[in-house]
Amino acid sequence: MKIIENGKEIILTPIPELLNQNEEVYKSYLCDTEGGRIFSVRSGRFLVSNPNHKGYCYVSCRVGGKGRPYSVHVLVYSSYSGMKQSDWRAMGLEINHIQENSKHINEISNLELITHKQQFQDKHDPYIRAKMGTSRRLNVENARYILQAWIDYDGEKRSVFVWEIVERFGVGYQSIIDLLEGRSYKNLRGIV
């Protein structure tokens, strides 16, 4: 199926992963693999994706009248490859986001299938130390600065703010979420 969005033609393809549910669900959603987005045939719009606490984006697809969460990167790769997640898992493969700190970027150009072992090899990913938990830690000055920046932030989406801070300070997504939600640097609450 093709649609026009902002004067640009977008090709939408079926998502084999949704065949795990039933034929109706499979026919209700299509994928823009180049844009990393899921399209609802029923509403005629792209679904809003929301990141979880680890930064992976999810969409809610209607299954039996209820919303069921699906990982956007799994649906995109399924649509691109024509396989279900169980197929590539049976081959010992998993999806890797190529760019560092880019779990929210689900375009097919940022996704690849590799083994679990490959994800943790320095040759494959020069940022592997950050993924393994040895990334830089925030100091009190940086935490205070981030909290003040959050107070002054006038953007609409928290995830955009968090990703900007992650890239600027080289820390993990969850570290920033914990700071903003008061689970870390609790002594700074009320001071900033």
Side-chain angles (χ1 to χ4, degrees):
M1 178 176 168
K2 295 178 185 177
I3 63 169
I4 303 295
E5 183 183 60
N6 299 327
K8 181 182 174 193
E9 185 178 80
I10 297 172
I11 298 171
L12 301 173
T13 53
I15 307 168
E17 183 66 23
L18 295 178
L19 277 172
N20 290 337
Q21 296 304 320
N22 61 45
E23 191 75 22
E24 182 184 335
V25 175
Y26 173 70
K27 290 179 178 180
S28 296
Y29 301 96
L30 297 169
C31 181
D32 166 17
T33 57
E34 287 185 21
R37 302 179 296 168
I38 308 304
F39 184 82
S40 169
V41 175
R42 251 183 250 142
S43 69
R45 297 184 312 183
F46 285 100
L47 301 178
V48 175
S49 63
N50 297 299
N52 68 3
H53 68 283
K54 293 182 179 179
Y56 292 103
C57 289
Y58 283 79
V59 292
S60 181
C61 296
R62 307 284 299 156
V63 177
K66 295 183 179 181
R68 181 186 184 286
Y70 283 93
S71 304
V72 175
H73 65 281
V74 170
L75 297 180
V76 170
Y77 206 89
S78 175
S79 182
Y80 172 75
S81 67
M83 298 188 293
K84 296 179 185 179
Q85 185 177 26
S86 58
D87 297 334
W88 64 75
R89 288 244 172 120
M91 294 184 281
L93 300 172
E94 54 190 51
I95 298 173
N96 180 52
H97 286 81
I98 298 168
Q99 298 174 22
E100 177 61 17
N101 289 328
S102 67
K103 295 174 185 172
H104 63 294
I105 301 173
N106 292 299
E107 292 95 352
I108 195 62
S109 62
N110 190 43
L111 303 176
E112 65 181 343
L113 283 183
I114 61 174
T115 66
H116 185 73
K117 184 177 179 180
Q118 285 175 311
Q119 279 202 349
F120 297 98
Q121 292 175 342
D122 289 345
K123 287 182 280 184
H124 181 75
D125 186 351
Y127 300 101
I128 194 61
R129 296 290 152 223
K131 284 184 180 177
M132 294 175 71
T134 56
S135 61
R136 293 177 39 199
R137 305 236 184 260
L138 289 175
N139 60 34
V140 175
E141 288 176 28
N142 289 343
R144 186 176 282 126
Y145 171 84
I146 292 166
L147 287 171
Q148 186 60 53
W150 176 240
I151 290 168
D152 298 339
Y153 183 66
D154 61 358
E156 292 181 24
K157 288 193 162 196
R158 178 175 80 165
S159 62
V160 172
F161 174 83
V162 172
W163 282 115
E164 288 172 2
I165 295 298
V166 164
E167 290 176 16
R168 181 172 179 186
F169 289 91
V171 296
Y173 185 91
Q174 189 61 42
S175 297
I176 304 303
I177 294 295
D178 288 345
L179 175 64
L180 298 181
E181 293 183 356
R183 290 189 292 269
S184 63
Y185 291 94
K186 295 175 184 177
N187 58 328
L188 294 180
R189 290 286 164 211
I191 295 175
V192 176

